[in-house]
Amino acid sequence: MIVEYKGDYNWDNIDVLAYKENGTNFKSITRQVLFDGLDDIPCQLRYFEVQEGGYSSLERHVHVHLVLILRGCGQVMLGDTIHDVKEKDIITIPSKTWHRFRANAKSPLGFLCLVNVDRDKVQLPTAEQLSELKQNPSITEFLDV
Ligand code: MN
């Protein structure tokens, strides 16, 4: 099966979806499901795109992510560290690690994200966990947008 690339980070017959059904701790981000598991690859491959100034939710979960930056550049928070990321960088997000992507480099940030089809629900930080994370000034600067 071939899904034809239509240009501008769109693929034939693949809908550009809202990032999440609900929630408020994200901004200017879309989701496309490029692959939804087949036979012995029980994985979903998604393409997320964050517009300039936007960000994904601050979250953690037991399942892991494999991410490949496909478009532009920005930053990712991984645990207690902020990293600059650019096209073709590969990021592994380990289990139970707080993470957020931000398009804060005057560019959109698009990335492929591989996850298991069978995965646990996302956890968002409680007020207490958030204030704990913000003990780190570089995390505060990254989160307070
Ligand atoms: Mn996640």
Side-chain angles (χ1 to χ4, degrees), residues 18-30:
Y19 171 62
K20 286 183 176 165
E21 306 293 313
N22 46 46
T24 54
N25 71 340
F26 52 85
K27 184 183 171 192
S28 306
I29 173 165
T30 55

PDB file of all heavy atoms in Angstrom, residues 18-30:
ATOM      1  N   ALA A  18      -7.432  17.504  15.048  1.00  0.00           N
ATOM      2  CA  ALA A  18      -7.101  18.230  16.273  1.00  0.00           C
ATOM      3  C   ALA A  18      -6.075  17.394  17.040  1.00  0.00           C
ATOM      4  O   ALA A  18      -6.120  16.159  17.019  1.00  0.00           O
ATOM      5  CB  ALA A  18      -8.345  18.421  17.123  1.00  0.00           C
ATOM      6  N   TYR A  19      -5.163  18.043  17.697  1.00  0.00           N
ATOM      7  CA  TYR A  19      -4.092  17.362  18.446  1.00  0.00           C
ATOM      8  C   TYR A  19      -4.673  16.403  19.485  1.00  0.00           C
ATOM      9  O   TYR A  19      -4.286  15.249  19.573  1.00  0.00           O
ATOM     10  CB  TYR A  19      -3.225  18.429  19.098  1.00  0.00           C
ATOM     11  CG  TYR A  19      -2.191  17.969  20.076  1.00  0.00           C
ATOM     12  CD1 TYR A  19      -1.157  17.128  19.693  1.00  0.00           C
ATOM     13  CD2 TYR A  19      -2.223  18.417  21.393  1.00  0.00           C
ATOM     14  CE1 TYR A  19      -0.183  16.734  20.589  1.00  0.00           C
ATOM     15  CE2 TYR A  19      -1.241  18.041  22.290  1.00  0.00           C
ATOM     16  CZ  TYR A  19      -0.227  17.196  21.879  1.00  0.00           C
ATOM     17  OH  TYR A  19       0.729  16.819  22.780  1.00  0.00           O
ATOM     18  N   LYS A  20      -5.612  16.899  20.269  1.00  0.00           N
ATOM     19  CA  LYS A  20      -6.281  16.076  21.270  1.00  0.00           C
ATOM     20  C   LYS A  20      -7.753  16.441  21.303  1.00  0.00           C
ATOM     21  O   LYS A  20      -8.134  17.533  20.870  1.00  0.00           O
ATOM     22  CB  LYS A  20      -5.645  16.279  22.650  1.00  0.00           C
ATOM     23  CG  LYS A  20      -4.304  15.585  22.710  1.00  0.00           C
ATOM     24  CD  LYS A  20      -3.602  15.650  24.038  1.00  0.00           C
ATOM     25  CE  LYS A  20      -2.321  14.825  23.920  1.00  0.00           C
ATOM     26  NZ  LYS A  20      -1.366  15.050  24.979  1.00  0.00           N
ATOM     27  N   GLU A  21      -8.551  15.532  21.810  1.00  0.00           N
ATOM     28  CA  GLU A  21     -10.001  15.759  21.862  1.00  0.00           C
ATOM     29  C   GLU A  21     -10.328  16.940  22.769  1.00  0.00           C
ATOM     30  O   GLU A  21     -11.227  17.709  22.503  1.00  0.00           O
ATOM     31  CB  GLU A  21     -10.718  14.520  22.396  1.00  0.00           C
ATOM     32  CG  GLU A  21     -10.406  13.230  21.639  1.00  0.00           C
ATOM     33  CD  GLU A  21     -10.937  13.252  20.215  1.00  0.00           C
ATOM     34  OE1 GLU A  21     -12.105  13.628  20.053  1.00  0.00           O
ATOM     35  OE2 GLU A  21     -10.188  12.917  19.296  1.00  0.00           O
ATOM     36  N   ASN A  22      -9.596  17.029  23.864  1.00  0.00           N
ATOM     37  CA  ASN A  22      -9.836  18.143  24.785  1.00  0.00           C
ATOM     38  C   ASN A  22      -8.571  18.450  25.571  1.00  0.00           C
ATOM     39  O   ASN A  22      -7.566  17.767  25.437  1.00  0.00           O
ATOM     40  CB  ASN A  22     -11.012  17.847  25.725  1.00  0.00           C
ATOM     41  CG  ASN A  22     -10.919  16.459  26.298  1.00  0.00           C
ATOM     42  OD1 ASN A  22      -9.845  16.061  26.748  1.00  0.00           O
ATOM     43  ND2 ASN A  22     -12.004  15.705  26.277  1.00  0.00           N
ATOM     44  N   GLY A  23      -8.664  19.490  26.361  1.00  0.00           N
ATOM     45  CA  GLY A  23      -7.493  19.917  27.126  1.00  0.00           C
ATOM     46  C   GLY A  23      -7.102  21.323  26.737  1.00  0.00           C
ATOM     47  O   GLY A  23      -7.530  21.837  25.705  1.00  0.00           O
ATOM     48  N   THR A  24      -6.302  21.947  27.571  1.00  0.00           N
ATOM     49  CA  THR A  24      -5.941  23.345  27.335  1.00  0.00           C
ATOM     50  C   THR A  24      -4.441  23.573  27.442  1.00  0.00           C
ATOM     51  O   THR A  24      -3.982  24.694  27.242  1.00  0.00           O
ATOM     52  CB  THR A  24      -6.626  24.255  28.367  1.00  0.00           C
ATOM     53  OG1 THR A  24      -6.299  23.770  29.673  1.00  0.00           O
ATOM     54  CG2 THR A  24      -8.124  24.275  28.198  1.00  0.00           C
ATOM     55  N   ASN A  25      -3.678  22.541  27.758  1.00  0.00           N
ATOM     56  CA  ASN A  25      -2.249  22.804  27.979  1.00  0.00           C
ATOM     57  C   ASN A  25      -1.410  22.546  26.726  1.00  0.00           C
ATOM     58  O   ASN A  25      -0.310  22.028  26.797  1.00  0.00           O
ATOM     59  CB  ASN A  25      -1.724  21.997  29.178  1.00  0.00           C
ATOM     60  CG  ASN A  25      -1.645  20.527  28.885  1.00  0.00           C
ATOM     61  OD1 ASN A  25      -2.295  20.044  27.966  1.00  0.00           O
ATOM     62  ND2 ASN A  25      -0.823  19.810  29.622  1.00  0.00           N
ATOM     63  N   PHE A  26      -1.990  22.899  25.571  1.00  0.00           N
ATOM     64  CA  PHE A  26      -1.242  22.838  24.323  1.00  0.00           C
ATOM     65  C   PHE A  26      -1.724  23.986  23.444  1.00  0.00           C
ATOM     66  O   PHE A  26      -2.737  24.630  23.745  1.00  0.00           O
ATOM     67  CB  PHE A  26      -1.442  21.483  23.620  1.00  0.00           C
ATOM     68  CG  PHE A  26      -2.882  21.099  23.427  1.00  0.00           C
ATOM     69  CD1 PHE A  26      -3.592  21.560  22.321  1.00  0.00           C
ATOM     70  CD2 PHE A  26      -3.536  20.292  24.354  1.00  0.00           C
ATOM     71  CE1 PHE A  26      -4.920  21.207  22.143  1.00  0.00           C
ATOM     72  CE2 PHE A  26      -4.869  19.944  24.167  1.00  0.00           C
ATOM     73  CZ  PHE A  26      -5.567  20.406  23.070  1.00  0.00           C
ATOM     74  N   LYS A  27      -0.984  24.242  22.346  1.00  0.00           N
ATOM     75  CA  LYS A  27      -1.336  25.383  21.499  1.00  0.00           C
ATOM     76  C   LYS A  27      -0.850  25.161  20.074  1.00  0.00           C
ATOM     77  O   LYS A  27       0.305  24.761  19.875  1.00  0.00           O
ATOM     78  CB  LYS A  27      -0.675  26.645  22.083  1.00  0.00           C
ATOM     79  CG  LYS A  27      -1.039  27.931  21.368  1.00  0.00           C
ATOM     80  CD  LYS A  27      -0.269  29.099  21.980  1.00  0.00           C
ATOM     81  CE  LYS A  27      -0.440  30.341  21.142  1.00  0.00           C
ATOM     82  NZ  LYS A  27       0.510  31.381  21.541  1.00  0.00           N
ATOM     83  N   SER A  28      -1.718  25.435  19.108  1.00  0.00           N
ATOM     84  CA  SER A  28      -1.348  25.463  17.684  1.00  0.00           C
ATOM     85  C   SER A  28      -0.642  24.193  17.215  1.00  0.00           C
ATOM     86  O   SER A  28       0.486  24.240  16.718  1.00  0.00           O
ATOM     87  CB  SER A  28      -0.454  26.669  17.390  1.00  0.00           C
ATOM     88  OG  SER A  28      -1.061  27.845  17.814  1.00  0.00           O
ATOM     89  N   ILE A  29      -1.309  23.079  17.389  1.00  0.00           N
ATOM     90  CA  ILE A  29      -0.697  21.805  17.003  1.00  0.00           C
ATOM     91  C   ILE A  29      -1.760  20.901  16.362  1.00  0.00           C
ATOM     92  O   ILE A  29      -2.918  20.921  16.777  1.00  0.00           O
ATOM     93  CB  ILE A  29       0.030  21.139  18.214  1.00  0.00           C
ATOM     94  CG1 ILE A  29       0.540  19.725  17.869  1.00  0.00           C
ATOM     95  CG2 ILE A  29      -0.805  21.114  19.467  1.00  0.00           C
ATOM     96  CD1 ILE A  29       1.550  19.176  18.875  1.00  0.00           C
ATOM     97  N   THR A  30      -1.341  20.179  15.326  1.00  0.00           N
ATOM     98  CA  THR A  30      -2.239  19.251  14.625  1.00  0.00           C
ATOM     99  C   THR A  30      -1.632  17.857  14.610  1.00  0.00           C
ATOM    100  O   THR A  30      -0.446  17.671  14.886  1.00  0.00           O
ATOM    101  CB  THR A  30      -2.466  19.697  13.171  1.00  0.00           C
ATOM    102  OG1 THR A  30      -1.199  19.829  12.528  1.00  0.00           O
ATOM    103  CG2 THR A  30      -3.238  21.002  13.096  1.00  0.00           C
TER     104      THR A  30
END
